[in-house]
Amino acid sequence: MILVHHLNDSRSHRILWLLEELGLNYEVRCYQRDPNTHLAPPELFDVHPLGKSPVIEDGENIIHESGAIIDYLVRKYATNQQLQPEPDSSAYEQYVQWLHYAEGSAMLPLLLKIYVGQLGDSGEPLQPRINSELDNHLGFIESSLAGKTYLVDEQFSAADIQLSFVGEVAHSFGLLSQRPHLKAWVERFQARPAYKAAVEQGGAYSLAK
């Protein structure tokens, strides 16, 4: 059985959600953030040297990094191109692009907004550049979703799961009010039964509206 090392209010929600979409049996080992620092507990260093989540154990395979975990689970357990396009299609190349874009580019300005915001007045000089990058990336996603239900070829895929955290964090900052396509996409995927089941399995998730 797949074991998921799950940190509350984190990216690892995406892994529980994917497992629910795939209909797989899995076990969740939950870890709680420090209520004051919001950092992961030291117990996660016993799981992986980085002390980060998500991490999964599947037999002898121990995998970290949400993108790598998603790629592994889809390749190993999805059937009939479930959650990804045909590998020899042009849609597959778009799928891979979105899968890597989520953490490779889109998440950085949101993380900067979170951390620089904690600096108070000291961080103010950086805010214009951060906001410019946020406008750039969220504008790109917004235009990419115009007239579409999901990111790739009108089919829900693991790319939507991987990019979901970006949409949810942006929504928590109130950045989607002028981005109707992105906002509708977030509402659409949060209404999926598997998404709701993952919240039940993982516990309170503040980004689930």
Side-chain angles (χ1 to χ4, degrees), residues 51-68:
K52 302 292 185 181
S53 174
V55 176
I56 68 165
E57 297 183 36
D58 186 20
E60 295 181 353
N61 294 317
I62 300 175
I63 305 171
H64 67 101
E65 293 297 325
S66 53

Side-chain angles (χ1 to χ4, degrees), residues 5-156:
H5 295 276
H6 170 66
L7 179 66
N8 70 304
D9 264 347
S10 78
R11 294 166 168 91
S12 62
H13 166 77
R14 294 181 293 194
I15 306 307
L16 305 184
W17 177 17
L18 175 61
L19 289 164
E20 290 290 340
E21 293 282 358
L22 290 169
L24 298 176
N25 292 322
Y26 62 95
E27 177 186 347
V28 182
R29 189 164 297 167
C30 291
Y31 302 80
Q32 297 297 312
R33 294 182 182 276
D34 183 285
N36 297 314
T37 66
H38 301 291
L39 296 176
E43 290 82 8
L44 271 172
F45 284 99
D46 297 331
V47 178
H48 190 274
L50 291 175
K52 302 292 185 181
S53 174
V55 176
I56 68 165
E57 297 183 36
D58 186 20
E60 295 181 353
N61 294 317
I62 300 175
I63 305 171
H64 67 101
E65 293 297 325
S66 53
I69 294 169
I70 286 173
D71 179 58
Y72 169 82
L73 290 173
V74 171
R75 281 188 290 106
K76 185 168 183 179
Y77 293 108
T79 58
N80 299 321
Q81 267 50 67
Q82 178 189 17
L83 296 176
Q84 71 174 22
E86 291 278 358
D88 59 353
S89 67
S90 59
Y92 184 80
E93 304 307 327
Q94 297 175 41
Y95 163 80
V96 172
Q97 172 185 278
W98 285 114
L99 204 62
H100 290 280
Y101 169 74
E103 294 293 337
S105 296
M107 197 61 209
L108 177 58
L110 287 166
L111 288 174
L112 288 172
K113 188 170 182 65
I114 292 170
Y115 293 132
V116 172
Q118 295 173 354
L119 299 176
D121 292 342
S122 300
E124 282 303 310
L126 292 172
Q127 292 296 345
R129 180 60 186 272
I130 293 171
N131 291 333
S132 174
E133 282 299 296
L134 280 171
D135 286 341
N136 187 30
H137 284 285
L138 296 179
F140 169 64
I141 301 170
E142 170 73 6
S143 62
S144 298
L145 285 167
K148 296 170 64 176
T149 306
Y150 293 111
L151 289 168
V152 181
D153 207 25
E154 281 303 291
Q155 298 294 317
F156 176 77

